[in-house]
Amino acid sequence: MNFLTQIDNLALIALLVVSGLALFLPTLSTLISGKGLSPTEATIWINRRKSHILDLRSEEAFKAGHLPGAKLASAVSLTATIESLKLDRKRPLVLVCETGAQSRKALGEIQKLGFAEVGVLDGGVQAWKAAALPLVK
């Protein structure tokens, strides 16, 4: 018990607690807000894990160029669009928009629909283009 009351040891204990929280916060934010995917991670999900891809942009932006295999989904009627596409909820799902912001907003609604794993392309199509990855027209 004497160990815990010494001032030097209290500083070390505080440092331990703060560093532990710093290590846990990214995991906590991922649990709360879904998995953020870099373009490389999204490519791995698409190719190896056979994930579905939902593009939440406008139809014009989708036609101008979208990720290979992506399906257009209206952000306004997202639940109805997903039901009409009959997506397998056991497979991972990648949400894509222009910058990633719209996908983050739709994430909660998607998770309520019972998908096993949902990821958001961080930076959206802009990050995909910046990584020099192909778009399909």
Side-chain angles (χ1 to χ4, degrees):
M1 272 327 253
N2 199 15
F3 176 81
L4 295 176
T5 58
Q6 293 177 357
I7 218 55
D8 292 339
N9 294 338
L10 287 176
L12 290 174
I13 291 169
L15 182 63
L16 175 71
V17 169
V18 169
S19 64
L21 284 174
L23 290 171
F24 182 68
L25 284 178
T27 304
L28 182 62
S29 69
T30 298
L31 291 173
I32 293 170
S33 65
K35 176 98 172 104
L37 302 172
S38 69
T40 305
E41 291 171 319
T43 303
I44 291 169
W45 275 38
I46 294 165
N47 293 332
R48 293 186 186 161
R49 301 184 68 200
K50 307 294 185 221
S51 65
H52 298 292
I53 309 161
L54 284 184
D55 195 322
L56 304 177
R57 299 176 301 151
S58 68
E59 188 173 353
E60 296 81 31
F62 183 81
K63 287 181 180 177
H66 57 273
L67 276 67
K71 305 269 192 261
L72 180 61
S74 169
V76 177
S77 59
L78 194 54
T79 303
T81 304
I82 289 174
E83 294 301 328
S84 68
L85 290 172
K86 296 181 175 31
L87 301 177
D88 181 4
R89 285 169 168 69
K90 293 177 186 165
R91 287 174 48 192
L93 176 68
V94 177
L95 297 176
V96 179
C97 64
E98 193 62 37
T99 62
Q102 190 176 14
S103 297
R104 287 265 176 222
K105 288 179 185 174
L107 185 64
E109 186 178 345
I110 298 286
Q111 288 174 328
K112 288 178 187 174
L113 294 174
F115 282 90
E117 196 170 4
V118 182
V120 172
L121 179 59
D122 286 336
V125 173
Q126 291 179 359
W128 188 267
K129 288 179 191 175
L133 293 167
L135 292 175
V136 177
K137 292 185 179 185

